[in-house]
Amino acid sequence: MSDIPRDTRLDSTLALFRDGYRFIERGRSRHRSDIFETRLLLQRTLCLSGAEAARLFYDAQRFQRRGAAPRRLRKTLFGLGGVQDLDGEAHRSRKAMFMSLMSPQGLRRASELAEHHWRQAIQRWTRRERVVLFDEVEELLCRVACEWTGIPLPEAEVRLRTRQLAAMVDGSGGIGPRQWRARMARRRAEAWLASLVRHVRSGERAAPEGSALEAVAEYLGPEGRPLSPRVAAVELLNLLRPIVAVARFVVFEALALHEHPRGRAQLLDANDDDADERFVQEVRRFYPFFPFVAARVREGFTWKGYTFPRGRRVLLDLYGTNHDPRVWERPSDFQPDRFRHWDGSAFSFIPQGGGDPATGHRCPGERLTIALMKVSLRMLTRAMRYDVPAQDLRMRFNRFPPEPASRFVMSNVVSVLDEAERRIAGGGERTMLGGLTADTHAPGH
Ligand code: HEM
């Protein structure tokens, strides 16, 4: 038996805000250990990092999620009563509903919707002097999210709903006004969707057949009971909010294309789906998004001689695990080609959690995220040309979640869609747009 290395500071909350995504990584090198104990907001907390620790963290016999996430996150990012806070059979049943939406047809339809809205957006951007990519893609993905889930979105509400959905993610790690905005956005968005669910159940509104709206409104839990309208709203937000959050990854794609010319050249040279996938994976590995996930020890146990006491909060380092030099050679280099040799481990590459999404808490939307990022990447590289004027693209590593200060400004946007499609029609360069179709009409349900 040995003692878990422990920080000597009384409390490390300030260090967490100072070191941000590198907080656990720094503790790990200070203690030369994949596990150490610290105090955050005065609570004793075990910090875990690396693939082996991730495998332990995803053992649901040993850890539970109920009551693990800090209240400020539950009031903004997750909401109360949603799938993130469930364990055991209640979790498995609710999670199955999410997984059922991620069928190959579901993913294809999301890609088609995204492509349709990208095409329209590019045409609009060509008429503007400058475009703030982050704002534009959030709005574009809000449209995609609502259409994909079957949630009506009147044109007059697009801005409002985009702002609400984005604020819940942006403000979740903030303090002061950012946090308050996120809480208010959640309250309003929950009221909007709870009312929609009531209307669907009373028959005043129809949910499109096979849609997520229908699945959530009709879902029955293990005891055969429907979700309350408020919890149904929380689960609908668990679909809408993260789809809009993919905009952050799209901005990171644009940033990578701009700042890593070698990666860009490899992508354009290969011009195939595998190279697109490798680029997307490297963006998800390289850039910071969610720093950690939290759980609590279910019953006390011993692992590698270390004692985990019952009820202790545990944080798994997502960012640090994706940058662990024992797995990722030169982790601070942006190298999409490293994914040619990746072993596919469910625990060493965990930007959206680890383990099996069907049985554990890993993100159910990972393939959907990748699909949306691939469409965006093809659009950025093959459907348009643009300049990147001088701007402040720096990211603060202690902002949760981070973003380039300028939110990525583009100017002189030119659509090359016509050019690309003429070549495809002429049979010259069939792969110019990869999987994109020439259809400019909105795909139906
Ligand atoms: C922006 C890209 C995304 C990132 C970085 C991301 C990240 C994550 C992370 C880190 C978790 C927690 C894993 C854990 O607790 O072990 C998670 C869970 C979850 N994600 Fe995502 N996600 C993204 C996109 C999506 C999408 C597109 C959807 C669905 C449309 C989605 C739905 C969910 C849900 C419902 C959960 C809770 C799963 C559970 O508790 O069982 N996410 N995500």
Side-chain angles (χ1 to χ4, degrees):
M1 215 80 113
S2 42
D3 286 339
I4 293 176
R6 190 181 292 184
D7 275 347
T8 47
R9 274 188 294 249
L10 203 61
D11 188 88
S12 297
T13 313
L14 282 178
L16 171 65
F17 278 102
R18 188 193 59 219
D19 294 346
Y21 286 79
R22 301 196 171 108
F23 171 74
I24 296 187
E25 200 177 298
R26 293 203 167 137
R28 182 169 81 172
S29 43
R30 204 168 46 245
H31 295 292
R32 294 206 177 87
S33 166
D34 281 351
I35 172 169
F36 65 94
E37 186 177 303
T38 191
R39 266 182 204 266
L40 295 173
L41 295 170
L42 298 174
Q43 244 192 72
R44 290 173 78 170
T45 304
L46 295 173
C47 298
L48 299 178
S49 193
E52 226 185 326
R55 189 182 291 279
L56 170 73
F57 180 90
Y58 281 97
D59 180 347
Q61 305 297 320
R62 290 177 154 167
F63 297 98
Q64 65 178 49
R65 296 304 181 98
R66 198 171 173 71
R71 201 173 160 70
R72 58 205 318 277
L73 277 192
R74 293 158 74 214
K75 289 264 180 179
T76 53
L77 193 64
F78 304 150
L80 302 175
V83 64
Q84 288 93 340
D85 211 28
L86 300 177
D87 293 296
E89 187 44 34
H91 177 257
R92 265 189 298 279
S93 160
R94 194 91 61 91
K95 191 67 178 281
M97 173 187 73
F98 281 97
M99 297 305 291
S100 72
L101 302 171
M102 306 296 166
S103 63
Q105 303 89 293
L107 299 185
R108 197 170 324 117
R109 189 169 136 66
S111 299
E112 286 166 5
L113 287 167
E115 186 194 327
H116 166 74
H117 286 292
W118 263 97
R119 283 170 180 267
Q120 294 208 323
I122 291 173
Q123 297 309 331
R124 280 197 306 274
W125 299 343
T126 59
R127 296 191 289 273
R128 301 236 298 265
E129 220 162 87
R130 66 197 277 283
V131 166
V132 179
L133 185 69
F134 204 164
D135 298 351
E136 295 291 327
V137 178
E138 279 182 340
E139 186 176 310
L140 178 167
L141 287 175
C142 178
R143 293 174 191 276
V144 172
C146 289
E147 271 182 72
W148 186 70
T149 49
I151 290 172
L153 180 66
E155 190 57 35
E157 283 182 25
V158 174
R159 283 258 156 84
L160 170 74
R161 300 306 175 200
T162 304
R163 266 205 313 274
Q164 287 174 344
L165 294 166
M168 278 178 237
V169 178
D170 188 64
S172 61
I175 40 176
R178 255 174 76 209
Q179 169 81 199
W180 304 329
R181 257 198 307 277
R183 287 183 184 221
M184 194 189 300
R186 169 160 287 282
R187 277 199 299 275
R188 297 197 169 149
E190 282 184 11
W192 161 48
L193 293 168
S195 155
L196 176 64
V197 168
R198 280 192 205 96
H199 284 121
V200 167
R201 286 179 179 163
S202 69
E204 279 167 77
R205 260 196 186 272
E209 209 183 310
S211 66
L213 174 59
E214 182 190 63
V216 173
E218 291 184 357
Y219 167 80
L220 299 177
E223 270 102 52
R225 278 201 294 273
L227 302 174
S228 72
R230 203 192 49 77
V231 173
V234 166
E235 299 303 26
L236 288 172
L237 286 175
N238 264 334
L239 295 163
L240 300 183
R241 182 198 68 250
I243 292 177
V244 172
V246 171
R248 206 169 231 97
F249 270 152
V250 173
V251 166
F252 294 156
E253 290 182 322
L255 205 56
L257 289 168
H258 180 61
E259 293 184 337
H260 301 285
R262 219 173 127 229
R264 180 194 180 99
Q266 280 168 357
L267 175 79
L268 296 180
D269 277 355
N271 198 22
D272 65 18
D273 188 63
D274 289 346
D276 288 355
E277 174 120 358
R278 288 195 294 274
F279 194 93
V280 163
Q281 296 292 54
E282 180 67 346
V283 167
R284 295 195 316 130
R285 187 198 69 82
F286 185 80
Y287 290 97
F289 202 137
F290 288 111
F292 336 110
V293 276
R296 280 191 191 278
V297 177
R298 189 187 285 279
E299 295 295 338
F301 67 89
T302 307
W303 180 73
K304 294 190 166 205
Y306 294 131
T307 303
F308 284 65
R310 175 165 193 240
R312 183 65 41 90
R313 189 169 62 190
V314 179
L315 294 183
L316 173 68
D317 184 10
L318 302 181
Y319 179 77
T321 303
N322 294 336
H323 286 76
D324 186 343
R326 290 169 295 185
V327 175
W328 305 102
E329 208 185 312
R330 301 164 70 103
S332 307
D333 290 358
F334 183 85
Q335 285 180 8
D337 268 4
R338 66 172 82 243
F339 279 93
R340 283 182 189 276
H341 316 292
W342 176 49
D343 64 2
S345 156
F347 298 103
S348 61
F349 175 49
I350 52 173
Q352 296 179 226
D356 178 355
T359 55
H361 281 271
R362 187 184 188 130
C363 179
E366 209 160 355
R367 281 316 308 179
L368 176 57
T369 303
I370 293 170
L372 294 173
M373 288 177 71
K374 277 181 165 177
V375 171
S376 307
L377 184 63
R378 288 199 298 265
M379 285 295 180
L380 285 167
T381 52
R382 278 90 136 187
M384 62 196 280
R385 279 196 293 267
Y386 53 88
D387 292 335
V388 182
Q391 60 192 286
D392 185 359
L393 287 170
R394 279 173 303 179
M395 292 210 289
R396 278 181 25 220
F397 258 64
N398 60 354
R399 186 197 198 275
F400 301 109
E403 60 189 37
S406 61
R407 295 175 66 84
F408 205 94
V409 177
M410 296 169 155
S411 58
N412 300 326
V413 173
V414 176
S415 165
V416 293
L417 276 164
D418 294 347
E419 203 180 290
E421 272 148 16
R422 261 198 310 276
R423 284 189 221 181
I424 291 171
E429 284 184 41
R430 284 213 56 82
T431 57
M432 179 84 179
L433 284 182
L436 301 187
T437 63
D439 174 23
T440 49
H441 301 288
H445 276 293

